[in-house]
Amino acid sequence: MDLKGPLGLVLTGGGALGAWEAGFLDGLLRGGLRFERVLGYSSGALAGAAHFLGAMPELLDRWHNVSDGRILRFAPCYSPFSLFSGDPLHESVQVAHDDENAKRLAAFDFTVVTVNTELNRPAYHRFAPQGAWDGPLAHRLIASSSIPVVFPPVEINGAIHIDGGIPTGEALSFQALAGCGTVLIVEMVQIEERGRKFWNPWIAFEQKGREAALNQVEAGIASLKKLPSPPKILRLAPSKVLEFTMLDFKNACCVPAVDQGLADAKLFLN
């Protein structure tokens, strides 16, 4: 496999579909790949942080134990409106709460994407072992994973920030990975899923979310192609469609998805 370095990695969002992404990332790392620059948003930011801080076992353990309300804890809030508690997000980034320790553990250049709702555009928070630290890290990770209506939004420097995978008036950019020879983009939705039609309103809404995820990746790819020295780009998706919704935080869905991700990574590396 010809992967010209430095290697870059994009870890996209997808809610519960991130179980597959966690398994896939673990498989890439077990296979010996090492990344110099990583960009993540939503569930991808959480996966990227686990790699960034050497906490992959903890990430996989969380995905293997998501049932019984560990993720979706009904606790409605009316201002700003959200249906579920943000505590599980705080718990999922426990290793990132100590920034001084995080700086010692940091292994590469890591960019976390959130959405600034007041400016209606993505915000890019960079964390590097030697240099930029647009922290607190845990705070940015929680903001990047705060799915609107589902989890409470997060205030950053006086502005409200939400899930970094939400489309905005400004196209998503992957240019934080400039300088990489090859960029791997890990996404949980297959290109072939675009255009599927469903009569069930909930599944139709889910389909719109999947197509938005594809659009975000394609905007990011376009930004990479505008670089003076564009990298080689590889889009990596599940070998079979993940037939559960982005809010199906259940062991019955997530545990097989983790295993599928690991198997798909082995296929890619071979």
PDB file of all heavy atoms in Angstrom, residues 49 52-53 90 93-100 102-103 110 112 114 124-127 132-144 154-157 161:
ATOM      1  N   ALA A  49      -9.460  12.161  20.107  1.00  0.00           N
ATOM      2  CA  ALA A  49      -8.900  12.487  21.421  1.00  0.00           C
ATOM      3  C   ALA A  49      -8.370  11.238  22.118  1.00  0.00           C
ATOM      4  O   ALA A  49      -7.334  11.280  22.787  1.00  0.00           O
ATOM      5  CB  ALA A  49      -9.952  13.170  22.281  1.00  0.00           C
ATOM      6  N   PHE A  52      -5.136  10.608  20.527  1.00  0.00           N
ATOM      7  CA  PHE A  52      -4.254  11.717  20.886  1.00  0.00           C
ATOM      8  C   PHE A  52      -3.649  11.534  22.278  1.00  0.00           C
ATOM      9  O   PHE A  52      -2.478  11.849  22.520  1.00  0.00           O
ATOM     10  CB  PHE A  52      -5.080  13.005  20.836  1.00  0.00           C
ATOM     11  CG  PHE A  52      -4.338  14.295  21.030  1.00  0.00           C
ATOM     12  CD1 PHE A  52      -3.285  14.658  20.206  1.00  0.00           C
ATOM     13  CD2 PHE A  52      -4.719  15.187  22.031  1.00  0.00           C
ATOM     14  CE1 PHE A  52      -2.629  15.877  20.357  1.00  0.00           C
ATOM     15  CE2 PHE A  52      -4.070  16.399  22.195  1.00  0.00           C
ATOM     16  CZ  PHE A  52      -3.019  16.741  21.361  1.00  0.00           C
ATOM     17  N   LEU A  53      -4.445  10.986  23.186  1.00  0.00           N
ATOM     18  CA  LEU A  53      -4.040  10.881  24.586  1.00  0.00           C
ATOM     19  C   LEU A  53      -3.724   9.452  25.011  1.00  0.00           C
ATOM     20  O   LEU A  53      -3.596   9.169  26.209  1.00  0.00           O
ATOM     21  CB  LEU A  53      -5.145  11.461  25.473  1.00  0.00           C
ATOM     22  CG  LEU A  53      -5.502  12.928  25.191  1.00  0.00           C
ATOM     23  CD1 LEU A  53      -6.685  13.364  26.038  1.00  0.00           C
ATOM     24  CD2 LEU A  53      -4.305  13.834  25.431  1.00  0.00           C
ATOM     25  N   HIS A  90     -19.235  14.702  29.270  1.00  0.00           N
ATOM     26  CA  HIS A  90     -18.177  15.051  30.220  1.00  0.00           C
ATOM     27  C   HIS A  90     -17.431  13.791  30.669  1.00  0.00           C
ATOM     28  O   HIS A  90     -16.204  13.782  30.759  1.00  0.00           O
ATOM     29  CB  HIS A  90     -18.770  15.775  31.431  1.00  0.00           C
ATOM     30  CG  HIS A  90     -19.222  17.167  31.145  1.00  0.00           C
ATOM     31  ND1 HIS A  90     -18.441  18.279  31.411  1.00  0.00           N
ATOM     32  CD2 HIS A  90     -20.364  17.644  30.592  1.00  0.00           C
ATOM     33  CE1 HIS A  90     -19.091  19.370  31.046  1.00  0.00           C
ATOM     34  NE2 HIS A  90     -20.270  19.021  30.550  1.00  0.00           N
ATOM     35  N   VAL A  93     -14.833  12.261  28.159  1.00  0.00           N
ATOM     36  CA  VAL A  93     -13.562  12.963  27.920  1.00  0.00           C
ATOM     37  C   VAL A  93     -12.794  13.155  29.223  1.00  0.00           C
ATOM     38  O   VAL A  93     -12.013  14.089  29.363  1.00  0.00           O
ATOM     39  CB  VAL A  93     -13.791  14.312  27.212  1.00  0.00           C
ATOM     40  CG1 VAL A  93     -14.429  14.107  25.847  1.00  0.00           C
ATOM     41  CG2 VAL A  93     -14.656  15.242  28.061  1.00  0.00           C
ATOM     42  N   GLN A  94     -13.005  12.245  30.182  1.00  0.00           N
ATOM     43  CA  GLN A  94     -12.382  12.375  31.488  1.00  0.00           C
ATOM     44  C   GLN A  94     -10.873  12.539  31.392  1.00  0.00           C
ATOM     45  O   GLN A  94     -10.263  13.350  32.083  1.00  0.00           O
ATOM     46  CB  GLN A  94     -12.715  11.142  32.346  1.00  0.00           C
ATOM     47  CG  GLN A  94     -12.385  11.294  33.824  1.00  0.00           C
ATOM     48  CD  GLN A  94     -13.197  12.389  34.499  1.00  0.00           C
ATOM     49  OE1 GLN A  94     -14.393  12.528  34.244  1.00  0.00           O
ATOM     50  NE2 GLN A  94     -12.565  13.170  35.352  1.00  0.00           N
ATOM     51  N   VAL A  95     -10.243  11.770  30.491  1.00  0.00           N
ATOM     52  CA  VAL A  95      -8.783  11.816  30.369  1.00  0.00           C
ATOM     53  C   VAL A  95      -8.285  13.164  29.867  1.00  0.00           C
ATOM     54  O   VAL A  95      -7.115  13.513  30.031  1.00  0.00           O
ATOM     55  CB  VAL A  95      -8.297  10.685  29.439  1.00  0.00           C
ATOM     56  CG1 VAL A  95      -8.704  10.952  27.990  1.00  0.00           C
ATOM     57  CG2 VAL A  95      -6.787  10.496  29.544  1.00  0.00           C
ATOM     58  N   ALA A  96      -9.186  13.963  29.264  1.00  0.00           N
ATOM     59  CA  ALA A  96      -8.786  15.251  28.686  1.00  0.00           C
ATOM     60  C   ALA A  96      -9.016  16.426  29.626  1.00  0.00           C
ATOM     61  O   ALA A  96      -8.676  17.563  29.286  1.00  0.00           O
ATOM     62  CB  ALA A  96      -9.551  15.491  27.382  1.00  0.00           C
ATOM     63  N   HIS A  97      -9.567  16.202  30.806  1.00  0.00           N
ATOM     64  CA  HIS A  97      -9.904  17.310  31.695  1.00  0.00           C
ATOM     65  C   HIS A  97      -8.674  18.004  32.275  1.00  0.00           C
ATOM     66  O   HIS A  97      -8.731  19.184  32.608  1.00  0.00           O
ATOM     67  CB  HIS A  97     -10.826  16.828  32.814  1.00  0.00           C
ATOM     68  CG  HIS A  97     -12.266  16.737  32.412  1.00  0.00           C
ATOM     69  ND1 HIS A  97     -13.059  17.838  32.218  1.00  0.00           N
ATOM     70  CD2 HIS A  97     -13.059  15.667  32.144  1.00  0.00           C
ATOM     71  CE1 HIS A  97     -14.275  17.460  31.859  1.00  0.00           C
ATOM     72  NE2 HIS A  97     -14.302  16.146  31.798  1.00  0.00           N
ATOM     73  N   ASP A  98      -7.573  17.286  32.423  1.00  0.00           N
ATOM     74  CA  ASP A  98      -6.327  17.862  32.945  1.00  0.00           C
ATOM     75  C   ASP A  98      -5.461  18.276  31.764  1.00  0.00           C
ATOM     76  O   ASP A  98      -4.779  17.446  31.158  1.00  0.00           O
ATOM     77  CB  ASP A  98      -5.608  16.829  33.815  1.00  0.00           C
ATOM     78  CG  ASP A  98      -4.349  17.385  34.471  1.00  0.00           C
ATOM     79  OD1 ASP A  98      -3.804  18.392  33.985  1.00  0.00           O
ATOM     80  OD2 ASP A  98      -3.886  16.783  35.465  1.00  0.00           O
ATOM     81  N   ASP A  99      -5.465  19.559  31.419  1.00  0.00           N
ATOM     82  CA  ASP A  99      -4.754  20.010  30.227  1.00  0.00           C
ATOM     83  C   ASP A  99      -3.243  19.831  30.338  1.00  0.00           C
ATOM     84  O   ASP A  99      -2.583  19.515  29.340  1.00  0.00           O
ATOM     85  CB  ASP A  99      -5.094  21.470  29.922  1.00  0.00           C
ATOM     86  CG  ASP A  99      -6.367  21.598  29.107  1.00  0.00           C
ATOM     87  OD1 ASP A  99      -7.452  21.568  29.705  1.00  0.00           O
ATOM     88  OD2 ASP A  99      -6.275  21.694  27.879  1.00  0.00           O
ATOM     89  N   GLU A 100      -2.686  20.016  31.518  1.00  0.00           N
ATOM     90  CA  GLU A 100      -1.239  19.854  31.659  1.00  0.00           C
ATOM     91  C   GLU A 100      -0.833  18.413  31.402  1.00  0.00           C
ATOM     92  O   GLU A 100       0.165  18.145  30.729  1.00  0.00           O
ATOM     93  CB  GLU A 100      -0.789  20.314  33.050  1.00  0.00           C
ATOM     94  CG  GLU A 100      -0.907  21.818  33.257  1.00  0.00           C
ATOM     95  CD  GLU A 100      -0.213  22.612  32.162  1.00  0.00           C
ATOM     96  OE1 GLU A 100       0.948  22.294  31.842  1.00  0.00           O
ATOM     97  OE2 GLU A 100      -0.833  23.551  31.621  1.00  0.00           O
ATOM     98  N   ALA A 102      -2.651  16.339  29.604  1.00  0.00           N
ATOM     99  CA  ALA A 102      -2.945  16.111  28.189  1.00  0.00           C
ATOM    100  C   ALA A 102      -1.792  16.569  27.307  1.00  0.00           C
ATOM    101  O   ALA A 102      -1.440  15.908  26.327  1.00  0.00           O
ATOM    102  CB  ALA A 102      -4.235  16.830  27.801  1.00  0.00           C
ATOM    103  N   LYS A 103      -1.172  17.693  27.664  1.00  0.00           N
ATOM    104  CA  LYS A 103      -0.031  18.190  26.879  1.00  0.00           C
ATOM    105  C   LYS A 103       1.133  17.210  26.924  1.00  0.00           C
ATOM    106  O   LYS A 103       1.859  17.034  25.933  1.00  0.00           O
ATOM    107  CB  LYS A 103       0.408  19.552  27.410  1.00  0.00           C
ATOM    108  CG  LYS A 103      -0.570  20.676  27.097  1.00  0.00           C
ATOM    109  CD  LYS A 103      -0.122  21.995  27.725  1.00  0.00           C
ATOM    110  CE  LYS A 103      -1.164  23.079  27.493  1.00  0.00           C
ATOM    111  NZ  LYS A 103      -0.769  24.374  28.126  1.00  0.00           N
ATOM    112  N   PHE A 110      -3.492  17.908  16.506  1.00  0.00           N
ATOM    113  CA  PHE A 110      -4.902  17.504  16.561  1.00  0.00           C
ATOM    114  C   PHE A 110      -5.796  18.731  16.448  1.00  0.00           C
ATOM    115  O   PHE A 110      -5.641  19.697  17.196  1.00  0.00           O
ATOM    116  CB  PHE A 110      -5.147  16.775  17.881  1.00  0.00           C
ATOM    117  CG  PHE A 110      -6.538  16.253  18.092  1.00  0.00           C
ATOM    118  CD1 PHE A 110      -7.304  15.736  17.055  1.00  0.00           C
ATOM    119  CD2 PHE A 110      -7.096  16.253  19.371  1.00  0.00           C
ATOM    120  CE1 PHE A 110      -8.570  15.233  17.265  1.00  0.00           C
ATOM    121  CE2 PHE A 110      -8.365  15.759  19.606  1.00  0.00           C
ATOM    122  CZ  PHE A 110      -9.109  15.246  18.548  1.00  0.00           C
ATOM    123  N   VAL A 112      -9.802  19.995  16.524  1.00  0.00           N
ATOM    124  CA  VAL A 112     -11.181  19.678  16.894  1.00  0.00           C
ATOM    125  C   VAL A 112     -12.091  20.737  16.274  1.00  0.00           C
ATOM    126  O   VAL A 112     -11.859  21.934  16.442  1.00  0.00           O
ATOM    127  CB  VAL A 112     -11.350  19.683  18.431  1.00  0.00           C
ATOM    128  CG1 VAL A 112     -12.806  19.424  18.812  1.00  0.00           C
ATOM    129  CG2 VAL A 112     -10.434  18.644  19.069  1.00  0.00           C
ATOM    130  N   THR A 114     -15.751  22.568  15.932  1.00  0.00           N
ATOM    131  CA  THR A 114     -17.074  22.853  16.486  1.00  0.00           C
ATOM    132  C   THR A 114     -17.790  23.786  15.510  1.00  0.00           C
ATOM    133  O   THR A 114     -17.207  24.217  14.506  1.00  0.00           O
ATOM    134  CB  THR A 114     -16.972  23.536  17.866  1.00  0.00           C
ATOM    135  OG1 THR A 114     -16.340  24.818  17.708  1.00  0.00           O
ATOM    136  CG2 THR A 114     -16.164  22.696  18.844  1.00  0.00           C
ATOM    137  N   TYR A 124     -12.192  26.017  14.368  1.00  0.00           N
ATOM    138  CA  TYR A 124     -11.135  25.010  14.380  1.00  0.00           C
ATOM    139  C   TYR A 124     -10.224  25.262  15.583  1.00  0.00           C
ATOM    140  O   TYR A 124      -9.612  26.329  15.700  1.00  0.00           O
ATOM    141  CB  TYR A 124     -10.348  25.062  13.072  1.00  0.00           C
ATOM    142  CG  TYR A 124     -11.240  24.892  11.863  1.00  0.00           C
ATOM    143  CD1 TYR A 124     -11.837  26.003  11.245  1.00  0.00           C
ATOM    144  CD2 TYR A 124     -11.544  23.624  11.361  1.00  0.00           C
ATOM    145  CE1 TYR A 124     -12.686  25.853  10.161  1.00  0.00           C
ATOM    146  CE2 TYR A 124     -12.398  23.474  10.274  1.00  0.00           C
ATOM    147  CZ  TYR A 124     -12.957  24.582   9.682  1.00  0.00           C
ATOM    148  OH  TYR A 124     -13.809  24.432   8.606  1.00  0.00           O
ATOM    149  N   HIS A 125     -10.145  24.281  16.456  1.00  0.00           N
ATOM    150  CA  HIS A 125      -9.378  24.394  17.685  1.00  0.00           C
ATOM    151  C   HIS A 125      -8.178  23.445  17.590  1.00  0.00           C
ATOM    152  O   HIS A 125      -8.352  22.229  17.501  1.00  0.00           O
ATOM    153  CB  HIS A 125     -10.248  24.037  18.893  1.00  0.00           C
ATOM    154  CG  HIS A 125     -11.590  24.706  18.870  1.00  0.00           C
ATOM    155  ND1 HIS A 125     -11.805  25.973  19.380  1.00  0.00           N
ATOM    156  CD2 HIS A 125     -12.779  24.295  18.363  1.00  0.00           C
ATOM    157  CE1 HIS A 125     -13.073  26.299  19.223  1.00  0.00           C
ATOM    158  NE2 HIS A 125     -13.695  25.298  18.595  1.00  0.00           N
ATOM    159  N   ARG A 126      -6.977  24.022  17.618  1.00  0.00           N
ATOM    160  CA  ARG A 126      -5.781  23.227  17.384  1.00  0.00           C
ATOM    161  C   ARG A 126      -5.049  22.917  18.678  1.00  0.00           C
ATOM    162  O   ARG A 126      -4.909  23.781  19.552  1.00  0.00           O
ATOM    163  CB  ARG A 126      -4.834  23.970  16.437  1.00  0.00           C
ATOM    164  CG  ARG A 126      -3.607  23.154  16.061  1.00  0.00           C
ATOM    165  CD  ARG A 126      -2.691  23.895  15.114  1.00  0.00           C
ATOM    166  NE  ARG A 126      -1.431  23.182  14.960  1.00  0.00           N
ATOM    167  CZ  ARG A 126      -0.247  23.758  14.892  1.00  0.00           C
ATOM    168  NH1 ARG A 126      -0.150  25.072  14.954  1.00  0.00           N
ATOM    169  NH2 ARG A 126       0.845  23.036  14.750  1.00  0.00           N
ATOM    170  N   PHE A 127      -4.590  21.662  18.778  1.00  0.00           N
ATOM    171  CA  PHE A 127      -3.837  21.198  19.930  1.00  0.00           C
ATOM    172  C   PHE A 127      -2.590  20.476  19.420  1.00  0.00           C
ATOM    173  O   PHE A 127      -2.694  19.532  18.641  1.00  0.00           O
ATOM    174  CB  PHE A 127      -4.692  20.242  20.780  1.00  0.00           C
ATOM    175  CG  PHE A 127      -5.958  20.889  21.279  1.00  0.00           C
ATOM    176  CD1 PHE A 127      -7.113  20.857  20.499  1.00  0.00           C
ATOM    177  CD2 PHE A 127      -5.987  21.545  22.489  1.00  0.00           C
ATOM    178  CE1 PHE A 127      -8.283  21.465  20.932  1.00  0.00           C
ATOM    179  CE2 PHE A 127      -7.152  22.166  22.935  1.00  0.00           C
ATOM    180  CZ  PHE A 127      -8.298  22.126  22.165  1.00  0.00           C
ATOM    181  N   ALA A 132       0.530  25.328  19.664  1.00  0.00           N
ATOM    182  CA  ALA A 132      -0.840  25.785  19.910  1.00  0.00           C
ATOM    183  C   ALA A 132      -1.585  24.862  20.864  1.00  0.00           C
ATOM    184  O   ALA A 132      -1.412  23.636  20.839  1.00  0.00           O
ATOM    185  CB  ALA A 132      -1.591  25.878  18.586  1.00  0.00           C
ATOM    186  N   TRP A 133      -2.402  25.484  21.701  1.00  0.00           N
ATOM    187  CA  TRP A 133      -3.279  24.715  22.593  1.00  0.00           C
ATOM    188  C   TRP A 133      -4.534  25.546  22.824  1.00  0.00           C
ATOM    189  O   TRP A 133      -4.654  26.306  23.769  1.00  0.00           O
ATOM    190  CB  TRP A 133      -2.582  24.402  23.918  1.00  0.00           C
ATOM    191  CG  TRP A 133      -3.269  23.297  24.669  1.00  0.00           C
ATOM    192  CD1 TRP A 133      -4.248  23.430  25.615  1.00  0.00           C
ATOM    193  CD2 TRP A 133      -3.048  21.887  24.519  1.00  0.00           C
ATOM    194  NE1 TRP A 133      -4.646  22.191  26.068  1.00  0.00           N
ATOM    195  CE2 TRP A 133      -3.924  21.230  25.430  1.00  0.00           C
ATOM    196  CE3 TRP A 133      -2.197  21.127  23.724  1.00  0.00           C
ATOM    197  CZ2 TRP A 133      -3.959  19.835  25.534  1.00  0.00           C
ATOM    198  CZ3 TRP A 133      -2.234  19.747  23.834  1.00  0.00           C
ATOM    199  CH2 TRP A 133      -3.105  19.118  24.732  1.00  0.00           C
ATOM    200  N   ASP A 134      -5.485  25.385  21.891  1.00  0.00           N
ATOM    201  CA  ASP A 134      -6.701  26.191  21.932  1.00  0.00           C
ATOM    202  C   ASP A 134      -7.723  25.578  22.884  1.00  0.00           C
ATOM    203  O   ASP A 134      -8.842  25.264  22.495  1.00  0.00           O
ATOM    204  CB  ASP A 134      -7.288  26.322  20.519  1.00  0.00           C
ATOM    205  CG  ASP A 134      -6.330  27.005  19.552  1.00  0.00           C
ATOM    206  OD1 ASP A 134      -5.506  27.805  20.017  1.00  0.00           O
ATOM    207  OD2 ASP A 134      -6.399  26.725  18.342  1.00  0.00           O
ATOM    208  N   GLY A 135      -7.321  25.419  24.130  1.00  0.00           N
ATOM    209  CA  GLY A 135      -8.108  24.693  25.108  1.00  0.00           C
ATOM    210  C   GLY A 135      -9.033  25.580  25.922  1.00  0.00           C
ATOM    211  O   GLY A 135      -9.174  26.757  25.627  1.00  0.00           O
ATOM    212  N   PRO A 136      -9.627  24.976  26.957  1.00  0.00           N
ATOM    213  CA  PRO A 136      -9.425  23.630  27.480  1.00  0.00           C
ATOM    214  C   PRO A 136      -9.869  22.539  26.484  1.00  0.00           C
ATOM    215  O   PRO A 136     -10.921  22.665  25.850  1.00  0.00           O
ATOM    216  CB  PRO A 136     -10.285  23.576  28.739  1.00  0.00           C
ATOM    217  CG  PRO A 136     -10.557  25.005  29.092  1.00  0.00           C
ATOM    218  CD  PRO A 136     -10.572  25.747  27.793  1.00  0.00           C
ATOM    219  N   LEU A 137      -9.064  21.478  26.409  1.00  0.00           N
ATOM    220  CA  LEU A 137      -9.334  20.416  25.439  1.00  0.00           C
ATOM    221  C   LEU A 137     -10.675  19.747  25.680  1.00  0.00           C
ATOM    222  O   LEU A 137     -11.474  19.571  24.745  1.00  0.00           O
ATOM    223  CB  LEU A 137      -8.207  19.384  25.492  1.00  0.00           C
ATOM    224  CG  LEU A 137      -8.391  18.115  24.649  1.00  0.00           C
ATOM    225  CD1 LEU A 137      -8.593  18.463  23.178  1.00  0.00           C
ATOM    226  CD2 LEU A 137      -7.199  17.180  24.827  1.00  0.00           C
ATOM    227  N   ALA A 138     -10.959  19.348  26.916  1.00  0.00           N
ATOM    228  CA  ALA A 138     -12.214  18.643  27.204  1.00  0.00           C
ATOM    229  C   ALA A 138     -13.424  19.490  26.820  1.00  0.00           C
ATOM    230  O   ALA A 138     -14.412  18.984  26.270  1.00  0.00           O
ATOM    231  CB  ALA A 138     -12.275  18.272  28.681  1.00  0.00           C
ATOM    232  N   HIS A 139     -13.347  20.779  27.088  1.00  0.00           N
ATOM    233  CA  HIS A 139     -14.435  21.708  26.774  1.00  0.00           C
ATOM    234  C   HIS A 139     -14.727  21.716  25.278  1.00  0.00           C
ATOM    235  O   HIS A 139     -15.886  21.694  24.849  1.00  0.00           O
ATOM    236  CB  HIS A 139     -14.013  23.095  27.267  1.00  0.00           C
ATOM    237  CG  HIS A 139     -15.123  24.074  27.357  1.00  0.00           C
ATOM    238  ND1 HIS A 139     -15.109  25.268  26.692  1.00  0.00           N
ATOM    239  CD2 HIS A 139     -16.299  24.045  28.057  1.00  0.00           C
ATOM    240  CE1 HIS A 139     -16.218  25.933  26.966  1.00  0.00           C
ATOM    241  NE2 HIS A 139     -16.953  25.219  27.786  1.00  0.00           N
ATOM    242  N   ARG A 140     -13.672  21.731  24.455  1.00  0.00           N
ATOM    243  CA  ARG A 140     -13.843  21.747  22.999  1.00  0.00           C
ATOM    244  C   ARG A 140     -14.384  20.415  22.487  1.00  0.00           C
ATOM    245  O   ARG A 140     -15.204  20.370  21.557  1.00  0.00           O
ATOM    246  CB  ARG A 140     -12.514  22.051  22.302  1.00  0.00           C
ATOM    247  CG  ARG A 140     -12.107  23.520  22.181  1.00  0.00           C
ATOM    248  CD  ARG A 140     -12.450  24.365  23.345  1.00  0.00           C
ATOM    249  NE  ARG A 140     -11.923  25.733  23.238  1.00  0.00           N
ATOM    250  CZ  ARG A 140     -12.029  26.631  24.192  1.00  0.00           C
ATOM    251  NH1 ARG A 140     -12.634  26.317  25.336  1.00  0.00           N
ATOM    252  NH2 ARG A 140     -11.532  27.839  24.050  1.00  0.00           N
ATOM    253  N   LEU A 141     -13.955  19.330  23.090  1.00  0.00           N
ATOM    254  CA  LEU A 141     -14.448  18.013  22.686  1.00  0.00           C
ATOM    255  C   LEU A 141     -15.940  17.875  22.975  1.00  0.00           C
ATOM    256  O   LEU A 141     -16.700  17.334  22.160  1.00  0.00           O
ATOM    257  CB  LEU A 141     -13.675  16.917  23.412  1.00  0.00           C
ATOM    258  CG  LEU A 141     -12.195  16.785  23.064  1.00  0.00           C
ATOM    259  CD1 LEU A 141     -11.519  15.826  24.025  1.00  0.00           C
ATOM    260  CD2 LEU A 141     -12.015  16.317  21.623  1.00  0.00           C
ATOM    261  N   ILE A 142     -16.349  18.359  24.139  1.00  0.00           N
ATOM    262  CA  ILE A 142     -17.773  18.295  24.497  1.00  0.00           C
ATOM    263  C   ILE A 142     -18.598  19.141  23.529  1.00  0.00           C
ATOM    264  O   ILE A 142     -19.658  18.712  23.047  1.00  0.00           O
ATOM    265  CB  ILE A 142     -17.972  18.760  25.950  1.00  0.00           C
ATOM    266  CG1 ILE A 142     -17.325  17.765  26.907  1.00  0.00           C
ATOM    267  CG2 ILE A 142     -19.458  18.934  26.270  1.00  0.00           C
ATOM    268  CD1 ILE A 142     -17.156  18.289  28.317  1.00  0.00           C
ATOM    269  N   ALA A 143     -18.102  20.338  23.213  1.00  0.00           N
ATOM    270  CA  ALA A 143     -18.813  21.194  22.257  1.00  0.00           C
ATOM    271  C   ALA A 143     -18.937  20.515  20.901  1.00  0.00           C
ATOM    272  O   ALA A 143     -19.997  20.538  20.266  1.00  0.00           O
ATOM    273  CB  ALA A 143     -18.081  22.528  22.116  1.00  0.00           C
ATOM    274  N   SER A 144     -17.855  19.879  20.441  1.00  0.00           N
ATOM    275  CA  SER A 144     -17.857  19.244  19.127  1.00  0.00           C
ATOM    276  C   SER A 144     -18.846  18.093  19.044  1.00  0.00           C
ATOM    277  O   SER A 144     -19.294  17.736  17.959  1.00  0.00           O
ATOM    278  CB  SER A 144     -16.449  18.727  18.804  1.00  0.00           C
ATOM    279  OG  SER A 144     -16.401  18.184  17.500  1.00  0.00           O
ATOM    280  N   VAL A 154     -22.537  24.417  24.144  1.00  0.00           N
ATOM    281  CA  VAL A 154     -21.433  24.815  25.017  1.00  0.00           C
ATOM    282  C   VAL A 154     -21.015  26.236  24.675  1.00  0.00           C
ATOM    283  O   VAL A 154     -20.921  26.604  23.501  1.00  0.00           O
ATOM    284  CB  VAL A 154     -20.234  23.857  24.832  1.00  0.00           C
ATOM    285  CG1 VAL A 154     -19.023  24.334  25.615  1.00  0.00           C
ATOM    286  CG2 VAL A 154     -20.626  22.440  25.265  1.00  0.00           C
ATOM    287  N   GLU A 155     -20.745  27.024  25.698  1.00  0.00           N
ATOM    288  CA  GLU A 155     -20.270  28.389  25.475  1.00  0.00           C
ATOM    289  C   GLU A 155     -18.746  28.412  25.393  1.00  0.00           C
ATOM    290  O   GLU A 155     -18.059  27.862  26.248  1.00  0.00           O
ATOM    291  CB  GLU A 155     -20.737  29.314  26.596  1.00  0.00           C
ATOM    292  CG  GLU A 155     -20.318  30.768  26.394  1.00  0.00           C
ATOM    293  CD  GLU A 155     -20.804  31.693  27.488  1.00  0.00           C
ATOM    294  OE1 GLU A 155     -21.969  31.533  27.920  1.00  0.00           O
ATOM    295  OE2 GLU A 155     -20.019  32.552  27.919  1.00  0.00           O
ATOM    296  N   ILE A 156     -18.231  29.033  24.345  1.00  0.00           N
ATOM    297  CA  ILE A 156     -16.790  29.202  24.173  1.00  0.00           C
ATOM    298  C   ILE A 156     -16.527  30.670  23.864  1.00  0.00           C
ATOM    299  O   ILE A 156     -16.997  31.186  22.847  1.00  0.00           O
ATOM    300  CB  ILE A 156     -16.238  28.319  23.036  1.00  0.00           C
ATOM    301  CG1 ILE A 156     -16.442  26.832  23.350  1.00  0.00           C
ATOM    302  CG2 ILE A 156     -14.752  28.603  22.786  1.00  0.00           C
ATOM    303  CD1 ILE A 156     -16.005  25.898  22.234  1.00  0.00           C
ATOM    304  N   ASN A 157     -15.796  31.320  24.731  1.00  0.00           N
ATOM    305  CA  ASN A 157     -15.448  32.732  24.545  1.00  0.00           C
ATOM    306  C   ASN A 157     -16.669  33.596  24.233  1.00  0.00           C
ATOM    307  O   ASN A 157     -16.647  34.447  23.337  1.00  0.00           O
ATOM    308  CB  ASN A 157     -14.398  32.873  23.434  1.00  0.00           C
ATOM    309  CG  ASN A 157     -13.104  32.158  23.775  1.00  0.00           C
ATOM    310  OD1 ASN A 157     -12.720  32.064  24.936  1.00  0.00           O
ATOM    311  ND2 ASN A 157     -12.425  31.640  22.759  1.00  0.00           N
ATOM    312  N   HIS A 161     -21.459  27.150  20.936  1.00  0.00           N
ATOM    313  CA  HIS A 161     -20.908  26.192  19.984  1.00  0.00           C
ATOM    314  C   HIS A 161     -21.645  24.863  20.101  1.00  0.00           C
ATOM    315  O   HIS A 161     -22.064  24.463  21.187  1.00  0.00           O
ATOM    316  CB  HIS A 161     -19.415  25.976  20.241  1.00  0.00           C
ATOM    317  CG  HIS A 161     -18.562  27.125  19.828  1.00  0.00           C
ATOM    318  ND1 HIS A 161     -17.601  27.036  18.842  1.00  0.00           N
ATOM    319  CD2 HIS A 161     -18.529  28.411  20.260  1.00  0.00           C
ATOM    320  CE1 HIS A 161     -17.004  28.208  18.692  1.00  0.00           C
ATOM    321  NE2 HIS A 161     -17.549  29.060  19.549  1.00  0.00           N
TER     322      HIS A 161
END
